[in-house]
Amino acid sequence: MAHYKKPTQNYLEMLIGQGNGRFKALTAGQFISAWNNYDRDGNGFIEGKELELFLRDFFFADQGPNAQGKNVSPEELQALKQRFLELHDSNKDGKIDIKEVSGKPCLKRRRAWRRAAPTTHA
C-alpha cells in the first residue's frame, strides 16, 4: 500500500512556516496564490486530488521538523479529507469553493479538523 511521504517542496510551508501552532497569517495575496496553487485545473474549486495535496502539505507543514521521514497512508489522508469537508463544505457538494474558506480561520481551526488527522508512520 502506498503512503504519502513528506514532499520535498511544500507550498504551504513556504507561505506560513512550520508547525507547533506558529503559522504566519496569510495576506489576501498569499491566500489567492495558495488557492491558485492547489486549484490545479482552474475550475474555482479545490476538490479530489487537489484537496488531498493541500491536506498532505498542510499536515506536513503542521508537523514541522517532526515530519522528517514520516508517511501518511491513503486511509489516513481520506479521514482527514472527510473531516475537513464536514467542517468547511457548507453546501455539501464534496468540493471547496473559495467562498467557503475565504475570510474564515480554517487554518486556525486546524485542531478541530485534525481530530481525524493521520498519525505519521516512519
Side-chain angles (χ1 to χ4, degrees), residues 17-106:
Q18 283 187 344
N20 302 323
R22 295 184 300 235
F23 291 128
K24 298 181 285 187
L26 292 176
T27 66
Q30 288 172 320
F31 177 81
I32 294 299
S33 177
W35 183 268
N36 290 334
N37 181 71
Y38 293 100
D39 180 18
R40 300 281 169 98
D41 61 8
N43 70 352
F45 299 97
I46 295 179
E47 59 190 321
K49 295 292 181 187
E50 296 168 339
L51 184 56
E52 290 172 15
L53 177 62
F54 164 78
L55 292 170
R56 182 204 64 185
D57 282 0
F58 189 83
F59 173 78
F60 285 115
D62 188 47
Q63 294 293 306
N66 297 328
Q68 292 299 341
K70 305 286 180 163
N71 300 313
V72 180
S73 76
E75 294 80 14
E76 292 166 329
L77 190 58
Q78 287 304 310
L80 185 57
K81 181 178 172 182
Q82 183 62 39
R83 182 69 177 145
F84 187 86
L85 286 170
E86 286 171 7
L87 291 171
H88 300 291
D89 183 16
S90 57
N91 64 1
K92 306 300 180 208
D93 63 356
K95 50 191 174 184
I96 300 297
D97 182 297
I98 198 167
K99 291 178 237 155
E100 292 173 316
V101 292
S102 64
K104 296 180 183 177
C106 72

Side-chain angles (χ1 to χ4, degrees), residues 8-29:
T8 54
Q9 287 191 312
N10 184 326
Y11 191 78
L12 285 178
E13 216 169 71
M14 290 187 300
L15 286 178
I16 61 178
Q18 283 187 344
N20 302 323
R22 295 184 300 235
F23 291 128
K24 298 181 285 187
L26 292 176
T27 66

